[in-house]
Coordinates of all heavy atoms in Angstrom, one line a residue:
M248 N 9.1 -16.9 -28.9 CA 7.8 -17.2 -28.8 C 7.5 -17.7 -27.2 O 8.1 -18.7 -26.9 CB 7.3 -18.2 -29.8 CG 5.9 -18.7 -29.6 SD 5.5 -20.1 -30.6 CE 4.3 -19.2 -31.5
A249 N 6.7 -17.1 -26.5 CA 6.4 -17.5 -25.1 C 5.4 -18.6 -25.2 O 4.4 -18.6 -25.9 CB 5.8 -16.3 -24.4
V250 N 5.6 -19.6 -24.2 CA 4.7 -20.7 -24.1 C 3.7 -20.3 -23.0 O 4.2 -20.1 -21.9 CB 5.4 -21.9 -23.8 CG1 4.5 -23.1 -23.6 CG2 6.3 -22.4 -25.0
E251 N 2.4 -20.2 -23.3 CA 1.5 -20.0 -22.2 C 0.5 -21.1 -21.9 O -0.4 -21.0 -21.2 CB 0.6 -18.8 -22.7 CG 1.5 -17.5 -22.9 CD 2.1 -17.0 -21.6 OE1 1.5 -17.2 -20.6 OE2 3.2 -16.4 -21.7
T252 N 0.7 -22.3 -22.5 CA -0.2 -23.4 -22.2 C 0.1 -24.1 -21.0 O 1.2 -24.3 -20.8 CB -0.1 -24.3 -23.5 OG1 -0.2 -23.7 -24.7 CG2 -1.1 -25.5 -23.6
K253 N -1.0 -24.5 -20.4 CA -0.8 -25.3 -19.1 C -0.4 -26.7 -19.6 O -0.9 -27.3 -20.6 CB -2.2 -25.4 -18.4 CG -2.5 -24.2 -17.7 CD -1.7 -23.9 -16.5 CE -2.3 -22.8 -15.6 NZ -1.6 -22.6 -14.4
H254 N 0.5 -27.3 -18.8 CA 0.9 -28.6 -19.0 C -0.2 -29.6 -18.7 O -1.1 -29.3 -18.0 CB 2.1 -29.0 -17.9 CG 2.8 -30.3 -18.2 ND1 2.4 -31.5 -17.8 CD2 3.8 -30.5 -19.0 CE1 3.3 -32.3 -18.2 NE2 4.1 -31.8 -19.0
T255 N -0.2 -30.7 -19.6 CA -1.4 -31.5 -19.6 C -1.4 -32.5 -18.3 O -2.4 -33.2 -18.0 CB -1.5 -32.5 -20.8 OG1 -0.2 -33.2 -20.9 CG2 -1.8 -31.5 -22.0
A256 N -0.3 -32.5 -17.7 CA -0.3 -33.5 -16.3 C 0.2 -32.8 -15.1 O 1.2 -32.7 -14.7 CB 0.7 -34.5 -16.6
P257 N -0.8 -31.9 -14.6 CA -0.5 -31.0 -13.5 C -0.1 -31.8 -12.2 O 0.4 -31.2 -11.3 CB -1.8 -30.2 -13.3 CG -2.8 -31.0 -13.8 CD -2.2 -31.7 -15.1
S258 N -0.2 -33.1 -12.2 CA 0.3 -33.8 -11.0 C 1.8 -34.0 -11.1 O 2.4 -34.5 -9.9 CB -0.5 -35.2 -11.0 OG 0.0 -35.9 -12.1
Q259 N 2.4 -33.7 -12.1 CA 4.0 -33.7 -12.1 C 4.6 -32.7 -11.3 O 4.1 -31.6 -11.4 CB 4.4 -33.7 -13.6 CG 3.9 -35.0 -14.3 CD 4.6 -35.1 -15.7 OE1 4.8 -34.0 -16.4 NE2 4.9 -36.2 -16.2
V260 N 5.7 -33.1 -10.7 CA 6.3 -32.2 -9.7 C 7.6 -32.0 -10.3 O 8.4 -32.9 -10.6 CB 6.4 -32.8 -8.3 CG1 7.2 -31.8 -7.4 CG2 5.0 -33.0 -7.8
V261 N 8.2 -30.9 -10.1 CA 9.5 -30.4 -10.4 C 10.2 -29.9 -9.2 O 9.7 -29.0 -8.6 CB 9.7 -29.4 -11.6 CG1 11.2 -28.9 -11.8 CG2 9.1 -29.9 -12.8
L262 N 11.4 -30.5 -8.8 CA 12.2 -30.1 -7.7 C 13.3 -29.2 -8.4 O 14.1 -29.7 -9.2 CB 12.8 -31.2 -6.9 CG 13.8 -30.8 -5.7 CD1 13.0 -30.1 -4.7 CD2 14.5 -32.0 -5.2
L263 N 13.3 -27.9 -8.0 CA 14.3 -27.0 -8.6 C 15.1 -26.4 -7.6 O 14.7 -25.7 -6.7 CB 13.4 -25.8 -9.3 CG 14.3 -24.9 -10.1 CD1 14.9 -25.4 -11.3 CD2 13.2 -23.8 -10.7
T264 N 16.5 -26.5 -7.8 CA 17.4 -26.0 -6.9 C 17.9 -24.7 -7.4 O 17.8 -24.5 -8.6 CB 18.6 -26.9 -6.6 OG1 19.2 -27.2 -7.9 CG2 18.2 -28.2 -6.1
G265 N 18.5 -23.8 -6.6 CA 18.9 -22.6 -7.1 C 17.8 -21.6 -7.5 O 17.9 -20.9 -8.5
A266 N 16.6 -21.8 -7.0 CA 15.3 -21.3 -7.5 C 15.1 -19.9 -7.0 O 14.0 -19.2 -7.5 CB 14.1 -22.1 -7.0
A267 N 15.8 -19.1 -6.3 CA 15.5 -18.0 -5.8 C 15.8 -16.7 -6.7 O 15.3 -15.7 -6.5 CB 16.2 -17.7 -4.5
Q268 N 16.7 -16.8 -7.5 CA 17.2 -15.8 -8.5 C 17.7 -16.2 -9.7 O 17.9 -17.4 -9.9 CB 18.1 -14.8 -7.7 CG 19.2 -15.5 -6.9 CD 19.8 -14.6 -5.9 OE1 19.7 -13.4 -6.0 NE2 20.3 -15.2 -4.9
G269 N 17.7 -15.2 -10.6 CA 18.4 -15.5 -12.0 C 17.7 -16.5 -12.7 O 16.5 -16.5 -12.9
I270 N 18.5 -17.5 -13.4 CA 18.0 -18.6 -14.2 C 17.0 -19.4 -13.4 O 15.9 -19.9 -13.9 CB 19.1 -19.5 -14.8 CG1 19.9 -18.5 -15.8 CG2 18.5 -20.7 -15.6 CD1 21.2 -19.1 -16.3
G271 N 17.4 -19.9 -12.1 CA 16.4 -20.7 -11.4 C 15.1 -20.0 -11.2 O 14.0 -20.7 -11.3
R272 N 15.1 -18.8 -10.9 CA 13.7 -18.0 -10.8 C 13.0 -18.0 -12.0 O 11.8 -18.2 -12.0 CB 14.0 -16.6 -10.1 CG 12.6 -16.0 -9.7 CD 13.0 -14.6 -9.1 NE 11.8 -14.0 -8.5 CZ 11.8 -13.5 -7.3 NH1 12.8 -13.6 -6.4 NH2 10.6 -13.1 -6.8
A273 N 13.7 -17.7 -13.1 CA 13.0 -17.7 -14.4 C 12.5 -19.1 -14.8 O 11.4 -19.2 -15.3 CB 14.0 -17.1 -15.6
T274 N 13.2 -20.1 -14.4 CA 12.9 -21.4 -14.7 C 11.5 -21.8 -13.9 O 10.5 -22.4 -14.4 CB 13.8 -22.5 -14.4 OG1 15.0 -22.2 -15.2 CG2 13.4 -23.8 -14.8
A275 N 11.5 -21.3 -12.6 CA 10.3 -21.6 -11.8 C 9.2 -20.8 -12.3 O 8.1 -21.5 -12.3 CB 10.7 -21.1 -10.3
R276 N 9.4 -19.6 -12.8 CA 8.2 -18.9 -13.4 C 7.5 -19.8 -14.6 O 6.5 -19.8 -14.8 CB 8.6 -17.4 -13.8 CG 8.8 -16.7 -12.6 CD 9.4 -15.3 -13.1 NE 9.4 -14.4 -12.0 CZ 10.2 -13.3 -11.9 NH1 11.1 -13.1 -12.9 NH2 10.2 -12.5 -11.0
A277 N 8.6 -20.2 -15.5 CA 8.2 -20.8 -16.7 C 7.4 -22.1 -16.4 O 6.4 -22.5 -17.0 CB 9.3 -21.0 -17.6
L278 N 8.0 -22.8 -15.4 CA 7.4 -24.2 -15.1 C 6.0 -23.9 -14.5 O 5.0 -24.7 -14.7 CB 8.3 -25.0 -14.2 CG 9.5 -25.4 -14.9 CD1 10.5 -26.0 -13.9 CD2 9.3 -26.5 -16.0
A279 N 6.0 -23.0 -13.6 CA 4.6 -22.6 -12.9 C 3.6 -22.3 -14.0 O 2.4 -22.7 -14.0 CB 4.8 -21.6 -12.1
R280 N 3.9 -21.6 -15.1 CA 3.0 -21.2 -16.1 C 2.6 -22.4 -16.9 O 1.4 -22.4 -17.3 CB 3.8 -20.2 -17.2 CG 3.4 -18.7 -17.1 CD 3.8 -17.9 -18.3 NE 5.1 -18.2 -18.9 CZ 6.3 -17.8 -18.4 NH1 6.3 -16.9 -17.5 NH2 7.4 -18.2 -19.0
L281 N 3.3 -23.4 -17.0 CA 3.0 -24.6 -17.7 C 2.2 -25.5 -16.8 O 1.7 -26.5 -17.2 CB 4.4 -25.4 -18.1 CG 5.1 -24.6 -19.2 CD1 6.4 -25.5 -19.5 CD2 4.3 -24.6 -20.6
G282 N 2.0 -25.2 -15.4 CA 1.2 -26.0 -14.6 C 1.8 -26.9 -13.8 O 1.0 -27.8 -13.1
F283 N 3.1 -26.9 -13.9 CA 3.8 -28.0 -12.9 C 3.7 -27.5 -11.5 O 3.7 -26.4 -11.1 CB 5.3 -28.1 -13.3 CG 5.5 -28.8 -14.6 CD1 5.8 -28.1 -15.8 CD2 5.8 -30.2 -14.6 CE1 6.0 -28.8 -17.0 CE2 6.0 -30.8 -15.7 CZ 6.2 -30.1 -16.9
R284 N 3.6 -28.6 -10.5 CA 3.7 -28.3 -9.1 C 5.3 -28.2 -8.8 O 6.0 -28.9 -9.4 CB 3.2 -29.4 -8.4 CG 1.6 -29.5 -8.7 CD 1.0 -30.8 -8.0 NE 1.5 -31.3 -6.8 CZ 1.6 -32.5 -6.5 NH1 1.1 -33.5 -7.2 NH2 2.0 -32.7 -5.3
L285 N 5.6 -27.2 -8.0 CA 7.1 -27.0 -7.8 C 7.5 -27.1 -6.4 O 6.8 -26.7 -5.5 CB 7.3 -25.4 -8.1 CG 7.0 -25.2 -9.7 CD1 7.2 -23.6 -9.8 CD2 7.9 -25.9 -10.6
G286 N 8.7 -27.7 -6.2 CA 9.3 -27.8 -5.0 C 10.7 -27.0 -5.1 O 11.4 -27.2 -6.1
L287 N 10.8 -25.8 -4.5 CA 11.8 -24.9 -4.8 C 12.8 -24.9 -3.7 O 12.5 -25.0 -2.4 CB 11.3 -23.4 -4.8 CG 10.2 -23.2 -5.8 CD1 9.6 -21.7 -5.9 CD2 10.6 -23.6 -7.3
V288 N 14.1 -25.0 -4.0 CA 15.2 -25.0 -3.0 C 16.1 -24.1 -3.2 O 16.6 -23.8 -4.5 CB 15.8 -26.4 -3.0 CG1 17.0 -26.5 -2.0 CG2 14.9 -27.6 -2.8
D289 N 16.7 -23.3 -2.3 CA 17.7 -22.3 -2.4 C 18.3 -22.0 -1.0 O 17.5 -22.3 0.1 CB 17.3 -21.0 -3.0 CG 18.2 -20.2 -3.5 OD1 19.0 -19.5 -2.8 OD2 18.5 -20.2 -4.8
R290 N 19.5 -21.6 -0.8 CA 20.1 -21.3 0.3 C 19.8 -19.9 0.8 O 20.1 -19.6 2.0 CB 21.6 -21.6 0.3 CG 22.3 -20.6 -0.7 CD 23.8 -21.0 -0.8 NE 24.5 -20.2 -1.8 CZ 25.7 -20.2 -2.1 NH1 26.4 -21.1 -1.4 NH2 26.1 -19.5 -2.8
D291 N 19.2 -19.1 0.1 CA 18.8 -17.7 0.4 C 17.5 -17.5 0.7 O 16.6 -17.5 -0.2 CB 19.4 -16.7 -0.6 CG 20.8 -16.6 -1.0 OD1 21.5 -16.7 0.1 OD2 21.2 -16.6 -2.1
R292 N 17.1 -17.4 2.1 CA 15.7 -17.5 2.5 C 14.8 -16.4 1.9 O 13.8 -16.8 1.4 CB 15.7 -17.4 4.0 CG 14.3 -17.3 4.6 CD 14.3 -17.3 6.2 NE 15.2 -18.3 6.8 CZ 14.9 -19.5 7.0 NH1 13.7 -20.0 6.7 NH2 15.8 -20.4 7.6
E293 N 15.2 -15.1 2.0 CA 14.3 -14.1 1.7 C 13.9 -14.1 0.1 O 12.8 -14.0 -0.2 CB 14.7 -12.7 2.1 CG 14.8 -12.6 3.5 CD 13.4 -12.8 4.1 OE1 12.4 -12.4 3.7 OE2 13.5 -13.5 5.3
P294 N 15.0 -14.3 -0.8 CA 14.6 -14.4 -2.2 C 13.8 -15.6 -2.5 O 12.9 -15.5 -3.4 CB 15.9 -14.4 -2.9 CG 16.9 -13.8 -2.0 CD 16.4 -14.2 -0.5
L295 N 14.0 -16.7 -1.8 CA 13.3 -17.9 -2.0 C 11.8 -17.7 -1.6 O 10.9 -18.1 -2.3 CB 13.8 -19.0 -1.3 CG 13.1 -20.4 -1.3 CD1 13.1 -20.8 -2.8 CD2 13.7 -21.5 -0.4
R296 N 11.6 -17.1 -0.5 CA 10.2 -16.7 0.0 C 9.4 -15.9 -0.9 O 8.2 -16.0 -1.2 CB 10.1 -16.3 1.4 CG 10.8 -17.1 2.5 CD 10.0 -18.4 2.6 NE 10.4 -19.2 3.8 CZ 11.0 -20.4 3.6 NH1 10.8 -21.1 2.5 NH2 11.5 -21.2 4.7
S297 N 10.3 -15.0 -1.6 CA 9.6 -14.0 -2.6 C 9.1 -14.7 -3.7 O 8.0 -14.5 -4.1 CB 10.7 -13.0 -2.9 OG 10.3 -12.2 -3.9
V298 N 10.0 -15.5 -4.3 CA 9.5 -16.3 -5.5 C 8.3 -17.2 -5.2 O 7.3 -17.3 -5.9 CB 10.7 -17.1 -6.2 CG1 11.2 -18.2 -5.5 CG2 10.2 -17.3 -7.6
E299 N 8.4 -17.8 -4.0 CA 7.3 -18.7 -3.6 C 6.0 -17.9 -3.4 O 5.0 -18.4 -3.9 CB 7.5 -19.5 -2.2 CG 6.5 -20.4 -1.8 CD 6.7 -21.0 -0.5 OE1 7.5 -20.3 0.4 OE2 6.1 -22.0 -0.1
G300 N 6.1 -16.8 -2.8 CA 4.9 -15.9 -2.7 C 4.3 -15.5 -4.0 O 3.2 -15.4 -4.2
E301 N 5.2 -15.1 -5.0 CA 4.9 -14.5 -6.2 C 4.2 -15.7 -7.0 O 3.0 -15.4 -7.6 CB 6.2 -14.2 -7.0 CG 5.9 -13.9 -8.5 CD 7.2 -13.8 -9.3 OE1 8.3 -13.3 -8.7 OE2 7.1 -14.0 -10.5
L302 N 4.7 -16.9 -7.0 CA 4.0 -17.9 -7.8 C 2.8 -18.4 -7.1 O 1.7 -18.9 -7.8 CB 5.0 -19.1 -8.0 CG 6.3 -18.8 -8.7 CD1 7.2 -19.8 -8.8 CD2 6.0 -18.1 -10.2
S303 N 2.7 -18.6 -5.7 CA 1.5 -18.9 -5.1 C 0.4 -17.9 -5.3 O -0.7 -18.3 -5.5 CB 1.8 -18.9 -3.6 OG 2.6 -20.1 -3.3
A304 N 0.8 -16.6 -5.3 CA -0.3 -15.6 -5.6 C -0.9 -15.7 -6.9 O -2.0 -15.2 -7.2 CB 0.3 -14.2 -5.5
R305 N -0.1 -16.3 -7.9 CA -0.7 -16.6 -9.3 C -1.4 -17.9 -9.4 O -1.8 -18.3 -10.4 CB 0.5 -16.5 -10.3 CG 1.2 -15.2 -10.5 CD 2.3 -15.2 -11.3 NE 2.9 -13.9 -11.5 CZ 4.0 -13.8 -12.2 NH1 4.6 -14.7 -12.9 NH2 4.5 -12.5 -12.2
G306 N -1.6 -18.7 -8.3 CA -2.3 -19.9 -8.2 C -1.5 -21.0 -8.4 O -2.2 -22.2 -8.5
S307 N -0.2 -21.0 -8.5 CA 0.7 -22.1 -8.6 C 0.7 -22.9 -7.3 O 0.7 -22.3 -6.2 CB 2.1 -21.9 -9.1 OG 2.0 -21.2 -10.3
S308 N 1.0 -24.2 -7.4 CA 1.1 -25.1 -6.2 C 2.6 -25.1 -6.0 O 3.4 -25.8 -6.7 CB 0.7 -26.5 -6.5 OG 0.9 -27.3 -5.5
V309 N 3.1 -24.5 -4.9 CA 4.6 -24.2 -4.8 C 4.8 -24.4 -3.3 O 4.0 -24.0 -2.4 CB 5.1 -22.8 -5.0 CG1 6.4 -22.6 -4.9 CG2 4.7 -22.4 -6.5
H310 N 5.9 -25.2 -3.0 CA 6.4 -25.4 -1.6 C 7.9 -25.1 -1.7 O 8.6 -25.4 -2.6 CB 6.2 -26.7 -1.0 CG 4.8 -27.0 -0.8 ND1 4.2 -26.7 0.3 CD2 3.8 -27.5 -1.5 CE1 2.9 -27.0 0.2 NE2 2.6 -27.6 -0.9
S311 N 8.5 -24.5 -0.7 CA 9.9 -24.2 -0.8 C 10.7 -24.7 0.6 O 10.1 -24.9 1.6 CB 10.1 -22.7 -0.9 OG 9.8 -22.0 0.2
E312 N 12.0 -24.9 0.4 CA 12.8 -25.4 1.4 C 14.2 -24.5 1.4 O 14.7 -24.6 0.4 CB 13.1 -26.8 1.3 CG 13.9 -27.4 2.5 CD 13.1 -27.5 3.8 OE1 12.0 -27.5 3.8 OE2 13.9 -27.6 4.8
V313 N 14.6 -24.0 2.4 CA 15.9 -23.2 2.5 C 16.9 -24.4 2.8 O 17.0 -25.2 3.7 CB 15.9 -22.3 3.6 CG1 17.4 -21.6 3.6 CG2 14.9 -21.2 3.2
A314 N 17.8 -24.7 1.9 CA 18.8 -25.6 2.0 C 20.0 -25.3 1.0 O 19.8 -24.7 0.0 CB 18.3 -27.0 1.7
D315 N 21.2 -25.8 1.4 CA 22.4 -25.7 0.7 C 22.6 -27.1 0.0 O 22.6 -28.0 0.8 CB 23.6 -25.3 1.4 CG 24.8 -25.1 0.7 OD1 25.0 -25.7 -0.4 OD2 25.7 -24.3 1.1
V316 N 22.6 -27.3 -1.2 CA 22.6 -28.6 -1.9 C 23.9 -29.4 -1.6 O 24.0 -30.5 -1.8 CB 22.3 -28.5 -3.4 CG1 21.0 -28.0 -3.7 CG2 23.5 -27.8 -4.1
R317 N 24.9 -28.7 -1.0 CA 26.2 -29.3 -0.7 C 26.0 -30.0 0.7 O 26.8 -30.9 1.0 CB 27.2 -28.3 -0.6 CG 27.5 -27.5 -1.9 CD 28.5 -26.5 -1.8 NE 27.9 -25.4 -1.0 CZ 28.6 -24.2 -0.7 NH1 29.7 -24.0 -1.1 NH2 27.8 -23.3 0.0
D318 N 24.9 -29.8 1.3 CA 24.6 -30.4 2.6 C 23.6 -31.5 2.3 O 22.4 -31.4 2.0 CB 24.0 -29.3 3.6 CG 23.6 -29.9 4.9 OD1 23.5 -31.2 5.1 OD2 23.5 -29.1 5.8
G319 N 24.1 -32.8 2.4 CA 23.3 -33.9 2.1 C 21.9 -34.1 2.9 O 20.9 -34.4 2.5
D320 N 22.1 -33.8 4.2 CA 20.9 -33.9 5.1 C 19.8 -32.8 4.7 O 18.7 -33.1 4.8 CB 21.3 -33.7 6.6 CG 22.1 -34.9 7.2 OD1 21.9 -36.1 6.6 OD2 22.9 -34.7 8.1
A321 N 20.4 -31.7 4.5 CA 19.4 -30.6 3.9 C 18.7 -30.9 2.7 O 17.6 -30.6 2.5 CB 20.2 -29.2 4.0
L322 N 19.5 -31.5 1.7 CA 19.0 -31.9 0.5 C 17.8 -33.0 0.7 O 16.9 -33.0 0.0 CB 20.0 -32.3 -0.5 CG 19.6 -32.5 -1.9 CD1 18.9 -31.3 -2.5 CD2 20.7 -32.9 -2.7
R323 N 18.1 -33.9 1.6 CA 17.2 -35.1 1.8 C 15.8 -34.4 2.4 O 14.8 -34.8 2.1 CB 17.7 -36.1 2.7 CG 18.5 -37.1 2.0 CD 19.1 -38.2 2.9 NE 20.2 -37.8 3.6 CZ 21.5 -37.7 3.3 NH1 21.8 -38.0 2.0 NH2 22.5 -37.3 4.1
A324 N 16.0 -33.4 3.2 CA 14.9 -32.7 3.8 C 14.1 -32.0 2.7 O 12.9 -32.0 2.7 CB 15.4 -31.7 4.9
A325 N 14.8 -31.4 1.8 CA 14.2 -30.8 0.6 C 13.3 -31.7 -0.2 O 12.2 -31.4 -0.7 CB 15.1 -30.0 -0.1
V326 N 13.9 -32.9 -0.4 CA 13.2 -33.9 -1.2 C 12.0 -34.4 -0.4 O 11.0 -35.0 -1.0 CB 14.1 -35.1 -1.6 CG1 13.4 -36.4 -2.2 CG2 15.2 -34.4 -2.5
A327 N 11.9 -34.3 0.9 CA 10.8 -34.7 1.7 C 9.6 -33.6 1.7 O 8.8 -33.7 2.5 CB 11.2 -35.1 3.2
L328 N 9.8 -32.6 1.0 CA 8.8 -31.6 1.0 C 7.3 -32.1 0.8 O 7.2 -33.1 -0.1 CB 8.9 -30.6 -0.1 CG 10.1 -29.4 0.0 CD1 10.4 -28.7 -1.3 CD2 9.7 -28.4 1.1
P329 N 6.3 -31.7 1.3 CA 5.0 -32.4 1.2 C 4.5 -32.4 -0.3 O 4.0 -33.3 -0.7 CB 3.9 -31.2 1.8 CG 4.9 -30.5 2.7 CD 6.2 -30.5 2.2
I330 N 4.9 -31.5 -1.1 CA 4.6 -31.6 -2.5 C 5.3 -32.7 -3.3 O 4.8 -33.2 -4.3 CB 4.8 -30.2 -3.3 CG1 4.0 -30.2 -4.6 CG2 6.3 -30.0 -3.5 CD1 4.0 -28.7 -5.1
I331 N 6.4 -33.2 -2.7 CA 7.2 -34.1 -3.4 C 7.0 -35.6 -2.8 O 7.3 -36.6 -3.5 CB 8.7 -33.7 -3.4 CG1 8.9 -32.5 -4.1 CG2 9.6 -34.9 -4.0 CD1 10.3 -31.9 -4.1
A332 N 6.4 -35.6 -1.7 CA 6.3 -37.0 -1.0 C 5.5 -37.9 -1.8 O 4.5 -37.4 -2.5 CB 5.6 -36.8 0.4
P333 N 6.0 -39.2 -2.0 CA 5.2 -40.1 -2.8 C 3.6 -40.1 -2.4 O 3.2 -40.2 -1.4 CB 5.9 -41.5 -2.4 CG 7.2 -41.0 -1.8 CD 7.0 -39.7 -1.1
T334 N 2.9 -40.1 -3.6 CA 1.5 -40.4 -3.5 C 1.2 -41.5 -4.6 O 2.1 -42.0 -5.3 CB 0.8 -39.1 -4.0 OG1 1.0 -38.9 -5.2 CG2 1.1 -37.9 -3.0
P335 N -0.1 -41.9 -4.6 CA -0.4 -43.0 -5.6 C 0.0 -42.7 -7.1 O 0.4 -43.6 -7.8 CB -1.9 -43.2 -5.5 CG -2.2 -42.7 -4.1 CD -1.2 -41.6 -3.8
N336 N 0.2 -41.3 -7.4 CA 0.5 -41.0 -8.7 C 1.9 -40.3 -8.8 O 2.3 -39.7 -9.8 CB -0.4 -39.8 -9.2 CG -1.9 -40.4 -9.3 OD1 -2.1 -41.6 -9.7 ND2 -2.9 -39.8 -9.0
N337 N 2.7 -40.5 -7.8 CA 4.0 -39.9 -7.8 C 4.9 -40.5 -7.0 O 4.7 -41.0 -5.8 CB 3.8 -38.4 -7.2 CG 5.1 -37.7 -7.0 OD1 6.1 -38.1 -7.8 ND2 5.2 -36.7 -6.3
T338 N 6.0 -41.1 -7.6 CA 7.0 -41.9 -6.9 C 8.3 -41.1 -6.8 O 8.6 -40.2 -7.6 CB 7.2 -43.3 -7.6 OG1 7.8 -43.0 -8.9 CG2 6.1 -44.1 -7.6
S339 N 9.2 -41.5 -5.8 CA 10.5 -40.8 -5.7 C 11.5 -41.8 -5.5 O 11.2 -42.9 -4.9 CB 10.4 -39.7 -4.6 OG 10.3 -40.4 -3.3
S340 N 12.7 -41.4 -5.7 CA 13.9 -42.3 -5.5 C 14.7 -41.8 -4.3 O 14.7 -40.5 -4.1 CB 14.7 -42.6 -6.7 OG 15.1 -41.4 -7.2
S341 N 15.4 -42.5 -3.7 CA 16.3 -42.1 -2.6 C 17.5 -41.4 -3.2 O 18.0 -41.7 -4.3 CB 16.7 -43.1 -1.6 OG 17.4 -44.1 -2.4
L342 N 18.1 -40.5 -2.4 CA 19.3 -39.8 -2.8 C 20.5 -40.7 -2.7 O 20.6 -41.4 -1.7 CB 19.5 -38.5 -2.2 CG 18.4 -37.4 -2.5 CD1 18.6 -36.2 -1.6 CD2 18.6 -37.0 -4.0

């Protein structure tokens, strides 16, 4: 059974690594359908840009960062994506 309902708290953000293909891409699509704001991270630029464009075209709030999660500095940069930066309704913790 497919879930098509928008999430009731669209201010919630999900940071998803490995988002460019396979299970990561499918998860990004499902979370976007539920109304989550997405921060997508992957080390493969073109497939990542493709999924970001696809979801943005459907009206989802999506930002992406090319990064290898094995690189601590790159991962910290990904966590600093504009969609994830702390706001009055959104807090973050340090890595």
Side-chain angles (χ1 to χ4, degrees):
M248 172 186 246
V250 177
E251 298 295 330
T252 307
K253 287 281 188 182
H254 192 269
T255 58
S258 64
Q259 290 186 328
V260 177
V261 174
L262 176 65
L263 183 62
T264 61
Q268 43 201 335
I270 293 170
R272 188 176 192 129
T274 301
R276 287 174 174 154
L278 292 170
R280 249 191 333 270
L281 291 171
F283 286 93
R284 295 169 40 210
L285 301 174
L287 306 179
V288 178
D289 201 281
R290 61 185 180 180
D291 295 321
R292 179 178 310 279
E293 292 310 313
L295 180 62
R296 298 297 184 239
S297 173
V298 71
E299 179 184 25
E301 171 191 333
L302 298 177
S303 292
R305 293 181 184 172
S307 296
S308 179
V309 183
H310 293 274
S311 67
E312 180 74 23
V313 176
D315 188 329
V316 296
R317 297 173 293 182
D318 178 342
D320 290 336
L322 190 55
R323 278 184 281 285
V326 172
L328 284 169
I330 198 167
I331 297 172
T334 64
N336 296 322
N337 180 19
T338 60
S339 66
S340 60
S341 62
L342 295 175

